[in-house]
Amino acid sequence: MRKWVLLKAYCNQNLGDDLIIKILLERYPDYCFFYENWYNESEASEFCKYENFYNIKKYEKNVFRKQGNNSIIRRLQRIILERLIKRIRTKSIASVQVGGSMFIQRDDSVARKRRYLLDYGPMFIIGANFGPYYSEDYVDGYKEFFKRCKSVVFRDKYSYQLFSELPNVEYASDVVFALEDTKRLDKPRNIVLISVIDLSGRTELQQYKEVYESTIRSICVDWTKKGKKVILVSLCKNEGDEECINRVHESLNFETRELVGKHFYRGNIKRTLQLFEEAECVIATRFHAMILAMEYDIPFFVFSYSPKIENVLDDFGIKSYCRISSLSDSILEQIPIKMISLDFEKKKQMFINPFQRLDEFLDN
């Protein structure tokens, strides 16, 4: 008999979130995870290759080997499908929400909107950070919500301390640190990875768009002159990374452009991880580009666009980074000097299993 777990996640072909889902599915192959999104039934389709993952479209194909060829039959099939999915919800043994920036304050009603998940088995939240927020009422609302969860695991100590009085709230490592078989090449290739974000749609950061992209462009010129192969890396197409890369790439002169490659993540997890295995160093703006550099023991430097990045760096005792809001011409000289190499033993000692409570629950 199948044991169903409801899955709540950010499925938007964002490498960090996709890695988290991959790790979850591979860790619990004996449990079926159901991802429900009626607005986009094919969302998260890249995970349908896993036998223990279902979205609405895959479940529908599993129930109806052949779809009806007229509107009446299709309508009946849809009614049956909705009832079966309702049974999954009511019969599920747990709800699991995984991801990072799940609790950014946009309005005061978000905590209330999430409470429906508590109706479908014990609720586990894994790998999140909290905020940014602007209202203590928002924090208090989530305190009430978290009290009703089975377990809440934050990936940074700042978020944990906001709710540390709750006995079911804990701090653990980012889920991506649980990746297996992450070994850097003994002799890395002459590759510098630069992960970027698009500041155009970020209200609080769009004023820095020109100086940020100019800095990325200058880094490309500087490091190619040093004989390095530079690759601009997009880790989330739908948040504009590719557009930013194309603007920077097109602004380079022909000679430099020929030496600067582009890599667009579009669900190709294996190939993207291979780039990190081969890299000599990483200049990261994306959060999980930073985490992967740590995981693969690659020297890295960070352009921070969010407190969530700085909070994790602080947890590791790392003070060497540059806020996008503080970019200046001197940064080109500082990057090679301020590259960080995370000590493997320190990382190993600091690792705290983010799945411990879910492991215990499912084992019982």
Side-chain angles (χ1 to χ4, degrees), residues 73-266:
I73 293 175
R74 287 293 298 133
R75 186 176 177 185
L76 286 172
Q77 286 180 338
R78 179 48 60 112
I79 292 170
I80 293 169
L81 180 69
E82 289 174 357
R83 289 178 179 175
L84 288 172
I85 289 175
K86 186 176 181 180
R87 282 184 62 190
I88 290 175
R89 290 197 220 108
T90 56
K91 298 286 185 182
S92 61
I93 62 170
S95 299
V96 175
Q97 183 166 6
V98 293
S101 300
M102 296 185 278
F103 304 113
I104 298 172
Q105 183 172 9
R106 294 185 174 90
D107 58 57
D108 291 322
S109 64
V110 179
R112 292 194 295 275
K113 290 175 183 176
R114 294 183 190 272
R115 286 177 188 146
Y116 80 95
L117 290 168
L118 296 168
D119 295 332
Y120 306 114
M123 178 74 181
F124 293 81
I125 296 172
I126 301 172
N129 54 267
F130 194 86
Y133 66 91
Y134 54 82
S135 165
E136 288 302 322
D137 288 341
Y138 184 77
V139 178
D140 291 339
Y142 267 106
K143 281 182 182 177
E144 293 305 311
F145 174 70
F146 293 152
K147 281 179 184 178
R148 297 176 60 195
C149 295
K150 182 72 174 177
S151 173
V152 179
V153 180
F154 288 112
R155 67 183 179 186
D156 67 292
K157 292 177 181 176
Y158 167 82
S159 299
Y160 161 70
Q161 287 163 1
L162 289 173
F163 305 95
S164 59
E165 73 271 22
L166 301 180
N168 60 331
V169 172
E170 297 176 291
Y171 160 77
S173 304
D174 185 84
V175 173
V176 172
F177 282 121
L179 262 178
E180 296 182 352
D181 302 322
T182 54
K183 186 178 180 182
R184 187 184 178 204
L185 294 183
D186 292 333
K187 293 184 178 180
R189 295 172 61 189
N190 200 31
I191 293 174
V192 177
L193 299 184
I194 305 177
S195 91
V196 305
I197 63 169
D198 184 13
L199 302 184
S200 301
R202 297 175 184 265
T203 306
E204 72 284 4
L205 291 171
Q206 58 188 5
Q207 62 183 307
Y208 306 111
K209 173 180 171 287
E210 295 301 326
V211 68
Y212 171 70
E213 293 184 8
S214 175
T215 300
I216 299 297
R217 181 168 56 248
S218 297
I219 292 170
C220 291
V221 173
D222 191 48
W223 286 72
T224 53
K225 284 181 178 179
K226 295 175 182 176
K228 305 297 181 184
K229 170 66 176 178
V230 173
I231 301 178
L232 296 169
V233 180
S234 160
L235 298 185
C236 188
K237 175 187 177 181
N238 293 330
E239 292 182 7
D241 293 15
E242 293 183 14
E243 295 175 18
C244 175
I245 285 173
N246 287 332
R247 286 195 298 269
V248 171
H249 198 262
E250 290 169 9
S251 69
L252 297 168
N253 63 46
F254 177 79
E255 182 180 341
T256 305
R257 197 183 310 147
E258 289 294 295
L259 300 172
V260 176
K262 298 187 282 187
H263 174 78
F264 295 163
Y265 171 72
R266 295 181 182 173

Side-chain angles (χ1 to χ4, degrees), residues 331-346:
I331 194 64
L332 293 180
E333 300 170 5
Q334 296 176 31
I335 290 174
I337 301 169
K338 293 188 174 182
M339 281 273 179
I340 299 295
S341 293
L342 193 64
D343 180 76
F344 176 77
E345 287 303 319
K346 180 180 180 180

Side-chain angles (χ1 to χ4, degrees), residues 295-306:
E295 178 66 7
Y296 282 97
D297 303 319
I298 307 169
F300 67 95
F301 184 81
V302 177
F303 290 133
S304 172
Y305 70 93
S306 167

